[in-house]
Amino acid sequence: AANSIWGKSLREYFCVDISADMNDLAAVLLRDGKQDGRPCMKGVFFRQFLPVSPMNKFDVIISSYSLMDLPSVQERINTLRTLWIKTEHFLVVIENGTNEGYKTVLEARDLILHGENYLKTNRRIRKLDAEQDEDELNKESEQYSSNVDMKREFDKAVSMSMKMNDNWPVGHVYSPCSHDLPCPRLNDGTDTPCNYLQEYHPLKLSQMPKQVQKENFSYVVLRKGQRSKGCNEWPRLIRPVLVKSKHIHCHMCCHDGRIHHTVLTASKHGKDLYYCARYSKWGDQLPLSILAETMNKSTQENDSTQHKQCTEPTTEEDW
């Protein structure tokens, strides 16, 4: 995938897998399945371990379906610390789209943004929360809902404090989030992960006909350096657009760190905005700055009328 986009500018692909057999298999696949074949691309190297020297850095580092294989939280933290130190520009973390995969990606996001102390503090808080009985959790949920802004400011202050204590290299979320605030999926009451859908053609390893398959995945792209003002503030669709008669429902994660449900119509919001959203797919960003400005007003106006008539889908088939 990287070769198809940046092939002319890439000098080296440094592939790491602790399994020597998997490295050998990957090398054979790049030679069209022939032991003595010619590789289909140059500059590909396979190793079992990362370079020891901190001077070896890479423009893009990808950890794909790997962190969940590690035996402990501390092992994941150590691995992520090493990867972040070796990252020159972008670190990409991809896991399966289950709740476990999503939480692993979230763990990586919190570690890079806020440091190890913040991550461990959050884990202790979540462990204590899990040990509380249901009544106490419900009370806390109601209290949290009424003090969302206060908690966000507290998290931000704690984050800055932890960064200073850890002396951690600064970074920000490049994708899918348009913010560095806590993931709103954690407290939206649905217990669903932040994930996306990808269709793919599996390898034809038998006489079975090829069929397009689907995979849910969770991911985060982290970039070194401070977030620049106005960078990547477009909202992202976190579910497929639900098309109804003359109006559409959009559920988006926005740069204010909240999930917004808005109902768009051509008459109220204009044909350009309406058709742009109508033909967008799950995971797309809507490249319209006015959407973030009109979102709250649109949601308030339509929730009292149309939302009562339209039940929100609860399964993937409904979507």
Side-chain angles (χ1 to χ4, degrees):
N3 182 70
S4 66
I5 302 298
W6 304 309
K8 294 182 179 180
S9 61
L10 288 176
R11 298 192 304 270
E12 179 185 67
Y13 306 82
F14 193 90
C15 308
V16 179
D17 195 307
I18 198 170
S19 169
D21 293 333
M22 291 301 294
N23 288 331
D24 292 340
L25 175 60
V28 171
L29 288 174
L30 288 179
R31 295 195 292 266
D32 198 24
K34 302 174 183 177
Q35 290 286 352
D36 55 350
R38 178 178 295 180
C40 64
M41 62 182 76
K42 297 180 180 180
V44 182
F45 302 94
F46 295 92
R47 298 288 187 274
Q48 288 181 269
F49 304 98
L50 282 166
V52 176
S53 172
M55 300 301 293
N56 293 97
K57 293 191 176 184
F58 302 88
D59 292 311
V60 180
I61 292 182
I62 301 174
S63 170
S64 179
Y65 288 74
S66 302
L67 293 177
M68 290 183 67
D69 292 339
L70 298 178
S72 67
V73 174
Q74 190 59 50
E75 189 74 18
R76 290 199 297 270
I77 290 175
N78 293 340
T79 300
L80 285 165
R81 289 180 70 94
T82 302
L83 293 178
W84 188 235
I85 290 171
K86 292 187 176 297
T87 297
E88 187 71 32
H89 296 295
F90 295 96
L91 171 62
V92 184
V93 178
I94 309 168
E95 293 292 339
N96 63 54
T98 61
N99 273 310
E100 290 76 14
Y102 159 63
K103 289 176 181 177
T104 301
V105 170
L106 204 60
E107 184 179 76
R109 183 184 188 272
D110 286 345
L111 175 66
I112 301 305
L113 290 181
H114 309 304
E116 187 173 344
N117 289 339
Y118 178 86
L119 179 64
K120 290 182 176 179
T121 301
N122 261 3
R123 289 187 65 85
R124 285 196 295 269
I125 292 173
R126 290 173 189 170
K127 185 177 180 180
L128 290 172
D129 285 344
E131 293 173 353
Q132 294 176 351
D133 59 76
E134 187 174 354
D135 291 337
E136 289 180 348
L137 286 175
N138 288 336
K139 290 178 182 178
E140 279 199 1
S141 178
E142 292 175 3
Q143 186 178 5
Y144 175 84
S145 299
S146 62
N147 294 281
V148 173
D149 293 329
M150 188 181 298
K151 188 176 187 302
R152 287 179 186 278
E153 291 301 319
F154 174 77
D155 284 343
K156 187 176 180 180
V158 172
S159 169
M160 293 301 296
S161 173
M162 294 302 181
K163 280 184 183 178
M164 293 173 62
N165 293 338
D166 284 354
N167 194 23
W168 190 240
V170 176
H172 65 274
V173 180
Y174 184 79
S175 180
C177 320
S178 57
H179 60 84
D180 298 329
L181 298 166
C183 179
R185 276 291 190 195
L186 288 173
N187 301 292
D188 66 354
T190 63
D191 194 32
T192 56
C194 177
N195 58 14
Y196 302 91
L197 185 68
Q198 178 64 47
E199 294 182 347
Y200 69 97
H201 293 279
L203 292 174
K204 189 176 181 181
L205 301 177
S206 66
Q207 298 302 317
M208 296 291 290
K210 281 189 176 181
Q211 294 181 347
V212 175
Q213 296 188 13
K214 298 179 179 180
E215 171 81 1
N216 284 323
F217 68 98
S218 294
Y219 81 102
V220 65
V221 181
L222 298 146
R223 187 176 190 176
K224 278 280 181 74
Q226 293 281 3
R227 176 183 293 274
S228 58
K229 187 177 180 181
C231 172
N232 191 28
E233 291 189 351
W234 293 344
R236 188 178 300 275
L237 292 165
I238 58 171
R239 284 291 178 263
V241 174
L242 185 63
V243 180
K244 294 291 185 178
S245 176
K246 296 183 179 181
H247 67 276
I248 55 176
H249 291 256
C250 297
H251 290 75
M252 297 162 291
C253 182
C254 302
H255 70 273
D256 63 354
R258 291 180 173 86
I259 295 175
H260 290 268
H261 166 219
T262 186
V263 182
L264 300 179
T265 64
S267 60
K268 285 187 177 181
H269 304 92
K271 290 185 178 180
D272 290 340
L273 175 56
Y274 175 77
Y275 283 108
C276 178
R278 180 185 177 94
Y279 293 104
S280 293
K281 297 179 180 179
W282 177 9
D284 287 346
Q285 283 185 293
L286 297 181
L288 296 164
S289 58
I290 60 171
L291 185 60
E293 297 169 5
T294 61
M295 194 175 309
N296 291 328
K297 187 182 296 184
S298 170
T299 303
Q300 292 171 2
E301 291 176 355
N302 289 284
D303 277 354
S304 60
T305 56
Q306 292 171 330
H307 187 57
K308 292 182 179 179
Q309 301 170 7
C310 303
T311 57
E312 182 175 344
T314 57
T315 65
E316 187 174 348
E317 289 74 15
D318 291 336
W319 284 111

